[in-house]
Amino acid sequence: MNETGYLSYNGKRLRMGYTTGTCATAATMAAVEMILTQKPVHQVQLMTPAGVDLVLEIDHCQLSLDQASCSVVKDGGDDADATDGLDIYATVTRRQDNQITLDGGQGVGRVTKPGLKIEPGNAAINPTPRKMIQEAARQLLGPDQGVDIVISVPGGEETAKATQNPQLGILGGISILGTSGIVRPMSEDTWKESITLEMQQKKALGLDKLILIPGNYGNDFIADHTHLNPDYIVQMSNFVGYVLLEAMRIGFTDILLVGHLGKFIKIAGGIFSTHSKDADARNEIMLANLALLGAPLDLLQAVNEAITTEAQAELILAAGYGQVYQVIVDKIKARVLKLFKFRAPDIHVEAITFLSDHDVTVMTKPLEELEAIWG
């Protein structure tokens, strides 16, 4: 990419990459051109939906009279991208009519559940890259020729284990993705979109309840200490406010939040993006609530100097102020209800928060009642 292929993030200059959809399109263009010219193709130029002009290198060319195959190496730029470095292959076979078909081969996942943009049974090639691939092939072929296109990704099945595909019911490989054709480093948009897709899928399966967790701590707590139904679980990462409002929009009526106090204490203070880059007022929120309970100044000073919520607990429990944790979980619920107040006042919200190294688990209702709803 040229100089336009960079962006600034937190003061750093980061290189953008290109999506699996862009790779599949470029590989298809090269394979079609090879069939038409009966010559190898080493580069392809294409315009992405974002308006970025790319020149991509073509690898692993194989050619016969009616079939061609080649690949493009996925480049995620400076993004933390699980698919970076994979070969995205297109195998194109000439047809006797003018139809263009598109399917996934080895390493491309297949949709098994409803609720996504792709119907069950189809290859996980999302609408934008599907359109890009087919339109690029048609432009090269003209109106009278047709081809069968198969996109494959060696290693895609193993790589998919590091993505959300298994939770979404996409089995056997990665998805061919990309609405813009470009990977923007540190972008949260794709991550948020995948969470929305997971919630939409659960709704399509008939579920009207959710259990929202930030990550693995919540998952482990639910598995080890409760009889809550894991089918309701969605990982929301740090995007608490976004996910709550999306859950409202999609139509869920009962929401249970389960997470470690280190994350959830921020919600008690009205912070709905819990990544430390956005806000970190854990100490201030804890100190304010301890002070309202009448905690002495020496305890407040010691808690303020503690590095983690786990370290704070040592001091708080020893001083006899463990009731602060119930206050905090009740405020978590109150903050979420306030978020919904004028948008969806009928949504039912409960919360559980806990510490891992201390005997602290607090919830807005007894566990038996929560399990009766989300069990």
Side-chain angles (χ1 to χ4, degrees), residues 113-134:
K113 295 180 180 179
L116 302 179
K117 296 177 182 177
I118 309 160
E119 291 297 316
N122 291 312
I125 304 172
N126 270 20
T128 297
R130 186 176 290 272
K131 181 181 179 183
M132 286 173 63
I133 293 166
Q134 292 174 324

Side-chain angles (χ1 to χ4, degrees), residues 239-252:
F239 313 125
V240 180
Y242 169 84
V243 172
L244 286 168
L245 293 177
E246 280 291 90
M248 175 204 73
R249 180 185 67 80
I250 293 166
F252 291 97

Side-chain angles (χ1 to χ4, degrees), residues 64-134:
S64 65
L65 184 62
D66 292 320
Q67 187 177 82
S69 175
C70 58
S71 71
V72 172
V73 177
K74 171 66 164 60
D75 182 357
D78 287 330
D79 196 46
D81 188 336
T83 63
D84 186 63
L86 290 178
D87 278 300
I88 313 298
Y89 276 83
T91 300
V92 176
T93 306
R94 192 191 298 270
R95 291 173 60 95
Q96 298 305 309
D97 56 26
N98 68 345
Q99 299 301 302
I100 294 175
T101 71
L102 176 60
D103 202 358
Q106 174 195 359
V108 173
R110 199 154 291 271
V111 177
T112 65
K113 295 180 180 179
L116 302 179
K117 296 177 182 177
I118 309 160
E119 291 297 316
N122 291 312
I125 304 172
N126 270 20
T128 297
R130 186 176 290 272
K131 181 181 179 183
M132 286 173 63
I133 293 166
Q134 292 174 324

Side-chain angles (χ1 to χ4, degrees), residues 242-319:
Y242 169 84
V243 172
L244 286 168
L245 293 177
E246 280 291 90
M248 175 204 73
R249 180 185 67 80
I250 293 166
F252 291 97
T253 56
D254 297 272
I255 297 173
L256 174 63
L257 295 96
V258 181
H260 190 277
L261 185 73
K263 285 283 186 189
F264 271 23
I265 192 171
K266 297 182 182 183
I267 306 173
I271 297 169
F272 288 100
S273 179
T274 56
H275 197 289
S276 57
K277 70 178 175 62
D278 295 323
D280 189 359
R282 290 173 294 178
N283 279 12
E284 291 81 357
I285 296 165
M286 180 60 79
L287 293 172
N289 284 287
L290 283 170
L292 288 171
L293 291 174
L297 181 59
D298 61 343
L299 176 60
L300 296 176
Q301 290 173 330
V303 168
N304 188 49
E305 293 172 4
I307 297 174
T308 66
T309 50
E310 296 281 357
Q312 289 175 346
E314 197 89 28
L315 303 165
I316 292 167
L317 296 173

Side-chain angles (χ1 to χ4, degrees), residues 152-332:
S152 57
V153 185
E157 186 168 4
E158 186 64 28
T159 299
K161 296 175 183 177
T163 73
Q164 285 196 305
N165 276 13
Q167 294 96 307
L168 294 172
I170 300 173
L171 305 181
I174 66 167
S175 299
I176 305 300
L177 299 172
T179 54
S180 69
I182 295 297
V183 175
R184 297 181 180 275
M186 311 304 292
S187 171
E188 297 172 346
D189 293 344
T190 301
W191 197 345
K192 287 179 176 179
E193 182 182 358
S194 68
I195 298 171
T196 293
L197 285 173
E198 186 175 0
M199 290 192 291
Q200 288 173 334
Q201 185 178 73
K202 289 185 182 297
K203 187 67 175 175
L205 291 170
L207 302 182
D208 57 5
K209 306 177 182 71
L210 283 180
I211 300 173
L212 299 178
I213 62 173
N216 291 331
Y217 283 135
N219 226 4
D220 293 344
F221 176 85
I222 289 169
D224 295 341
H225 301 289
T226 78
H227 295 292
L228 297 169
N229 187 343
D231 289 346
Y232 295 126
I233 294 175
V234 169
Q235 287 198 18
M236 60 181 170
S237 185
N238 294 298
F239 313 125
V240 180
Y242 169 84
V243 172
L244 286 168
L245 293 177
E246 280 291 90
M248 175 204 73
R249 180 185 67 80
I250 293 166
F252 291 97
T253 56
D254 297 272
I255 297 173
L256 174 63
L257 295 96
V258 181
H260 190 277
L261 185 73
K263 285 283 186 189
F264 271 23
I265 192 171
K266 297 182 182 183
I267 306 173
I271 297 169
F272 288 100
S273 179
T274 56
H275 197 289
S276 57
K277 70 178 175 62
D278 295 323
D280 189 359
R282 290 173 294 178
N283 279 12
E284 291 81 357
I285 296 165
M286 180 60 79
L287 293 172
N289 284 287
L290 283 170
L292 288 171
L293 291 174
L297 181 59
D298 61 343
L299 176 60
L300 296 176
Q301 290 173 330
V303 168
N304 188 49
E305 293 172 4
I307 297 174
T308 66
T309 50
E310 296 281 357
Q312 289 175 346
E314 197 89 28
L315 303 165
I316 292 167
L317 296 173
Y321 282 88
Q323 67 266 39
V324 73
Y325 296 114
Q326 186 63 51
V327 171
I328 287 170
V329 78
D330 289 337
K331 287 190 174 181
I332 291 168

